[in-house]
Amino acid sequence: MMDARRVSRLLSVGMAAALASSALMPIAQAMAQDAGTLVVDTAFQLKTADPAREFEPTANLILHPVYETLVTFKGSDLTKVEPSLSEAPVVSADAKTFTFQLNPAAKFSDGSPVTVDDVIFSLNRVKNVKGSPSFLLDGVTVSKGSKEGEVVLTTEQPDPGLPYKLANPAVGIVNAKVVTANQGSAAADADKTDRADAFFATTSVGSGPYVLEKFDMAAEVVLKRNDAYWGEKPKYEQIVIRNVETSAQQMNVMRDDSQIALDLRPDQLDAIKDAAYTISVPSADVVFMFTNSNADISPVAANSDFQTAVRLAIDYDGIVNIAGEGAVRPGSIIPTMFAGSLPTSEGPTRDVEAAKAALAKSGIKDPTIELTYVSDITKNGVSFADVAAKMQSDLKDVGITATLKPSPVSTFLDDYRAGTLPFTIVWWGPDFPDPSDYLLFGPGEKVGLRAGWKAGSSPAITEIAKKAAVEIDQTTRTKLYDEWQKKLNAEGPFTGLFQPAFSMASSKTLEPVEYNAMWTIDLTAISPAKQ
């Protein structure tokens, strides 16, 4: 998505990353040689240590081991929620009531038990401080159940995706008494009265296997093992997460200055594959294009036959090749690792003659359209200028002239949100790993409106979306999302282009590390290689 809570995903690391200078390397090398310390290099996208206010990738990475959630995901599987502080929820037939039973063994790092009151406080605080993740709990009421240790969440509208939202580290459970004693609040006016943000940067009040020892948003974050942890103890005494430029990350792993590098480009892997484990897998971000359906913005782009011609003109395989090893193309808008995604074969394919026929049917002769793209950042190392140039060439083959318009990210975001771009390449990073997050691409919905797709434009698509939003049977739900995306491909202004690769390296002194699209890697699950 492209709201303010995700802008940090779009910004380059800039000067902050440069602070991981060579002066730090001798210290880091000594730590990496210490069997009790794990050193992880990444390019920081980080603004706060307060779970109720965070919504950045690096925050998810570091807070997941500190603040446990009611449910979680295991390994790289985002299709099923697993027990964490509670058992898996019991969901009512109307998908409006979710009952969680807390694990009685769960306790915070200070030894106090995790209670229903803590859960109620934590979730209400997320909602009421009105931070970036507050929308995850829109319309949700939290209360005590009839049994000891039972928490009940009710929603105004059916929401079968709610359990997936509750695995986000932003809704981690905090110690209510300690937070309240340090200027925290979960009251309705918490957006005005809560002052606990600075407190979270100095200590930990979670129940996870690690506690926060140091929080420096410019240079490094240090996690220390919680020796009082109520679950299985993690393998490392401490974890140091450093803010390091991508080019330096590769060298650090090769020199054993660090054990994990999280922000490599696919083309960096060959040089490091003999010295480390490397993976290049599809990320959960989907890069897509749209032609604006608002005729006031562009009568050319809004013509449905012109939109069809554009979809049929694009060489999708060629674009995936530009994205590099590990990139894939989703069949529509929902990424490949989520339930409800379409296989690549269901997406549009290039057909030059059919594109020319659609263009002729449109009645538009020698059309020219402006293609806007972000000029000052890349996505997982992929240049939008390269993708735009490829699309320009493809469109020329069918008689469409695309005038390239590079735009700095700040200007691009304003224009994108305002819905004034006739034709563009943009991307969406998931808020939570459930297909319901993508219903925002429908007519009259948040992303749909950015493409000029007004409510009522496609009643059939809207009707399918309404059914999918409330269906709790997974098989039926998946079929509905399949049907919704197929119609979106045929009638909507959006077309999925590719999912860029996530590329990382980890030392062979470790067991192989798995990618998780929610928190990048699970720091609690990393262990030394078996001897």
Side-chain angles (χ1 to χ4, degrees):
M1 75 182 190
M2 296 286 294
D3 288 306
R5 57 180 180 264
R6 286 293 199 201
V7 172
S8 61
R9 279 192 168 186
L10 310 181
L11 302 177
S12 60
V13 295
M15 292 182 64
L19 293 176
S21 65
S22 58
L24 296 174
M25 294 311 169
I27 299 173
Q29 189 167 11
M31 290 191 299
Q33 293 168 354
D34 177 1
T37 299
L38 176 71
V39 180
V40 179
D41 286 349
T42 188
F44 276 16
Q45 299 171 66
L46 182 63
K47 296 192 295 186
T48 178
D50 184 346
R53 291 180 166 93
E54 72 90 357
F55 216 64
E56 295 76 43
T58 307
N60 282 345
L61 171 72
I62 65 174
L63 295 185
H64 171 63
V66 177
Y67 295 100
E68 292 178 302
T69 46
L70 290 176
V71 290
T72 190
F73 300 110
K74 298 295 186 184
S76 59
D77 186 3
L78 299 178
T79 64
K80 181 184 178 184
V81 293
E82 300 282 354
S84 182
L85 284 176
S86 81
E87 297 175 2
V90 176
V91 183
S92 64
D94 63 359
K96 294 173 69 174
T97 303
F98 303 79
T99 304
F100 297 83
Q101 184 65 48
L102 293 182
N103 189 323
K107 60 182 179 179
F108 291 110
S109 56
D110 66 359
S112 59
V114 178
T115 68
V116 172
D117 288 336
D118 293 307
V119 175
I120 294 173
F121 174 90
S122 300
L123 300 187
N124 281 336
R125 182 170 179 269
V126 171
K127 183 167 62 173
N128 292 330
V129 297
K130 296 180 173 59
S132 295
S134 296
F135 77 100
L136 293 172
L137 296 173
D138 282 350
V140 177
T141 300
V142 193
S143 61
K144 290 185 177 181
S146 58
K147 300 177 182 177
E148 183 72 22
E150 192 175 76
V151 183
V152 178
L153 275 65
T154 57
T155 59
E156 296 172 358
Q157 302 296 327
D159 188 4
L162 180 60
Y164 296 86
K165 301 176 187 178
L166 295 174
N168 192 305
V171 289
I173 306 305
V174 303
N175 188 320
K177 290 181 180 178
V178 177
V179 175
T180 301
N182 287 274
Q183 299 184 294
S185 173
D189 63 349
D191 58 319
K192 300 179 181 65
T193 60
D194 184 278
R195 300 289 184 271
D197 188 21
F199 169 71
F200 278 94
T202 64
T203 189
S204 294
V205 286
S207 61
Y210 284 94
V211 295
L212 187 67
E213 186 170 70
K214 178 182 179 182
F215 184 77
D216 183 336
M217 289 189 292
E220 69 177 16
V221 173
V222 179
L223 305 179
K224 182 181 179 181
R225 185 165 59 196
N226 174 14
D227 290 327
Y229 181 54
W230 62 280
E232 182 180 350
K233 301 294 188 294
K235 303 298 183 183
Y236 285 91
E237 292 180 11
Q238 71 172 356
I239 301 176
V240 180
I241 304 100
R242 306 183 306 181
N243 189 16
V244 180
E245 291 179 333
T246 298
S247 57
Q249 289 183 31
Q250 178 194 38
M251 187 59 66
N252 288 347
V253 171
M254 294 178 71
R255 295 186 307 195
D256 292 327
D257 285 333
S258 65
Q259 289 114 321
I260 298 176
L262 292 181
D263 298 281
L264 301 182
R265 301 186 309 273
D267 61 8
Q268 291 179 292
L269 298 183
D270 281 346
I272 201 173
K273 63 184 179 182
D274 292 334
Y277 294 117
T278 61
I279 63 171
S280 188
V281 296
S283 72
D285 291 343
V286 174
V287 177
F288 60 94
M289 67 176 183
F290 69 72
T291 40
N292 200 305
S293 291
N294 184 349
D296 292 336
I297 300 299
S298 170
V300 173
N303 183 295
S304 61
D305 292 313
F306 176 83
Q307 292 180 344
T308 299
V310 170
R311 279 196 296 270
L312 293 171
I314 300 302
D315 173 15
Y316 299 99
D317 290 340
I319 289 178
V320 172
N321 287 338
I322 291 173
E325 181 182 353
V328 297
R329 183 190 171 205
S332 184
I333 289 298
I334 299 175
T336 54
M337 68 280 290
F338 289 7
S341 64
L342 281 181
T344 300
S345 59
E346 295 286 356
T349 56
R350 189 175 206 220
D351 187 330
V352 171
E353 293 308 313
K356 289 179 178 178
L359 185 59
K361 185 180 177 183
S362 75
I364 304 171
K365 294 185 177 181
D366 302 321
T368 297
I369 190 166
E370 202 170 66
L371 173 56
T372 306
Y373 62 91
V374 174
S375 59
D376 55 351
I377 61 171
T378 64
K379 190 61 182 170
N380 294 39
V382 181
S383 166
F384 288 95
D386 292 342
V387 176
K390 170 61 175 168
M391 290 172 58
Q392 181 187 48
S393 174
D394 293 342
L395 292 168
K396 184 178 180 180
D397 290 343
V398 302
I400 299 172
T401 299
T403 303
L404 300 187
K405 183 183 178 182
S407 175
V409 65
S410 56
T411 303
F412 177 87
L413 287 175
D414 289 342
D415 293 341
Y416 164 69
R417 292 177 187 138
T420 60
L421 299 176
F423 184 28
T424 190
I425 309 163
V426 68
W427 65 96
W428 179 269
D431 302 309
F432 52 93
D434 185 74
S436 59
D437 191 33
Y438 295 82
L439 294 177
L440 295 175
F441 283 78
E445 301 294 339
K446 186 174 188 175
V447 186
L449 291 173
R450 291 173 178 174
W453 207 17
K454 299 176 183 178
S457 299
S458 181
I461 289 179
T462 300
E463 186 61 29
I464 297 168
K466 287 180 179 179
K467 293 178 181 178
V470 301
E471 180 58 57
I472 62 173
D473 178 78
Q474 193 58 47
T475 300
T476 304
R477 197 168 184 249
T478 297
K479 289 180 179 178
L480 286 168
Y481 279 105
D482 284 356
E483 185 181 359
W484 179 76
Q485 288 177 96
K486 288 175 182 178
K487 283 192 172 294
L488 192 73
N489 285 349
E491 302 175 22
F494 303 104
T495 304
L497 296 175
F498 65 94
Q499 292 168 232
F502 167 79
S503 300
M504 65 164 283
S506 59
S507 168
K508 291 186 177 179
T509 62
L510 306 177
E511 288 295 301
V513 179
E514 287 189 87
Y515 167 66
N516 181 290
M518 196 75 215
W519 37 74
T520 311
I521 59 173
D522 185 352
L523 294 172
T524 69
I526 296 172
S527 61
K530 295 180 176 64
Q531 299 297 321

